[in-house]
């Protein structure tokens, strides 16, 4: 299916209106998974012409995405990855875990960016970072698209490594997201050490429900975990 290639329009706007010189594109992967970390990539690309075929990682085949990620890692000015573990997601909630992973990625860059282009409509990063949110930025912005591809390929690789010791869960194929294989393994074997234990899927597993973690707010209420999927969908 044809798609418009990403551009440097937002980056040029930020440079013109804020004086920012170093701008990082930031994207995440793993928000809706049941297992594994949430991973954030921060990529700085400058205004150079990107590799052919760059777009949102979800629009690319596994083969094309993998090849492109290798090319991008050599092409970008710099990039860094940040992760928040399942335990951190359970303890902090998804929004705070995303911020933690994003800050880890941004602070791992060799030079601190002057501004950040963040995929989506919600600024989960906040001060002191200067943030421009862009809906579908992983399709329209070069730096965010680059971050999208690198983050996806790197997290998929991590989940494939976990699959060596947890083959029944199909992590190499589903990357920790719900799938028939994943759901069947959960029902039979229960969650692995890499599962998010505060998520709603455990409500549908009576034999494992006692493992569920409940995170309470200061006022005693129970917050929702943003982006999670229940067992039935």
């Amino acid at each position: 299916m044809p798609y418009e290639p990403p551009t440097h329009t937002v980056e040029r706007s930020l440079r013109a209106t804020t004086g920012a010189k170093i701008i990082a594109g930031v994207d995440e992967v793993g928000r809706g998974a049941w297992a594994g970390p949430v991973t954030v990539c921060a990529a700085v690309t400058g205004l150079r012409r990107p590799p052919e075929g760059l777009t949102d990682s979800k629009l690319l085949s596994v083969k094309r995405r993998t090849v492109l990620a290798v090319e991008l890692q050599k092409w970008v000015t710099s990039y860094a990855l940040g992760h928040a573990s399942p335990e951190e997601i359970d303890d902090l909630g998804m929004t705070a875990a995303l911020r933690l992973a994003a800050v880890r990625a941004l602070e791992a860059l060799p030079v601190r960016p002057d501004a950040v282009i963040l995929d989506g409509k919600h600024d989960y990063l906040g001060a002191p970072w200067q943030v421009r949110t862009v809906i579908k930025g992983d399709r329209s912005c070069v730096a965010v698209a680059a971050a999208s591809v690198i983050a996806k390929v790197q997290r998929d690789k991590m989940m494939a490594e976990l699959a060596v010791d947890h083959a029944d869960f199909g992590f190499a194929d589903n990357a920790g997201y719900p799938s028939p294989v994943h759901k069947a393994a959960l029902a039979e074997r229960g969650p692995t050490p890499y599962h998010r234990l505060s998520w709603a899927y455990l409500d549908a597993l009576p034999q494992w429900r006692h493992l569920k973690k409940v995170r309470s707010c200061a006022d005693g209420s129970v917050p929702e975990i943003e982006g999670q999927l229940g067992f039935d969908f």
Side-chain angles (χ1 to χ4, degrees):
M1 181 178 179
Y3 53 81
E4 290 293 323
T7 70
H8 293 295
T9 300
V10 176
E11 189 168 354
R12 292 181 188 279
S13 172
L14 277 170
R15 286 170 176 255
T17 58
T18 69
K21 295 182 179 179
I22 299 174
I23 300 172
V26 170
D27 197 19
E28 56 79 21
V29 63
R31 185 194 301 246
W34 288 357
V38 63
T39 295
V40 173
C41 180
V44 178
T45 66
L47 299 177
R48 293 171 297 144
R49 182 176 179 177
E52 190 70 26
L54 177 62
T55 187
D56 172 12
S57 64
K58 296 185 291 296
L59 299 180
L60 300 170
S61 67
V62 174
K63 181 178 179 180
R64 176 56 185 149
R65 190 166 60 220
T66 303
V67 171
L68 184 57
V70 174
E71 187 175 355
L72 285 169
Q73 289 173 47
K74 299 174 182 178
W75 174 79
V76 298
T77 302
S78 61
Y79 79 93
L81 294 161
H83 311 279
S85 69
E87 293 84 1
E88 289 170 327
I89 294 169
D90 287 335
D91 291 342
L92 302 173
M94 182 54 74
T95 298
L98 279 171
R99 185 178 194 279
L100 183 63
V103 169
R104 286 170 173 166
L106 289 164
E107 291 185 342
L109 290 171
V111 179
R112 183 184 177 95
D114 303 311
V116 173
I117 304 172
L118 189 63
D119 182 51
K121 63 180 180 180
H122 298 298
D123 177 8
Y124 57 76
L125 192 54
W129 304 94
Q130 181 170 254
V131 176
R132 174 78 61 85
T133 58
V134 179
I135 296 174
K136 294 186 178 180
D138 48 9
R139 299 188 188 187
S140 62
C141 302
V142 169
V144 179
S148 166
V149 173
I150 295 172
K152 173 63 176 168
V153 170
Q154 291 298 315
R155 186 180 181 279
D156 282 357
K157 181 180 178 181
M158 292 173 62
M159 296 306 297
E161 291 170 354
L162 296 183
V164 174
D165 293 326
H166 301 280
D168 291 350
F169 289 83
F171 289 157
D173 297 316
N174 60 48
Y177 284 83
S179 71
V181 169
H182 190 170
K183 292 167 70 175
L186 268 172
E188 180 179 350
R189 297 180 177 273
T192 71
Y194 306 105
H195 277 86
R196 302 168 188 181
L197 299 181
S198 59
W199 283 51
Y201 67 83
L202 279 173
D203 294 335
L205 299 171
Q207 68 274 44
W208 307 113
R209 196 178 297 155
H210 65 284
L211 298 175
K212 187 172 182 180
K213 292 183 178 179
V214 178
R215 181 173 56 88
S216 298
C217 294
D219 62 2
S221 62
V222 179
E224 294 183 1
I225 305 293
E226 305 89 333
Q228 67 174 296
L229 297 172
F231 208 86
D232 298 318
F233 54 90

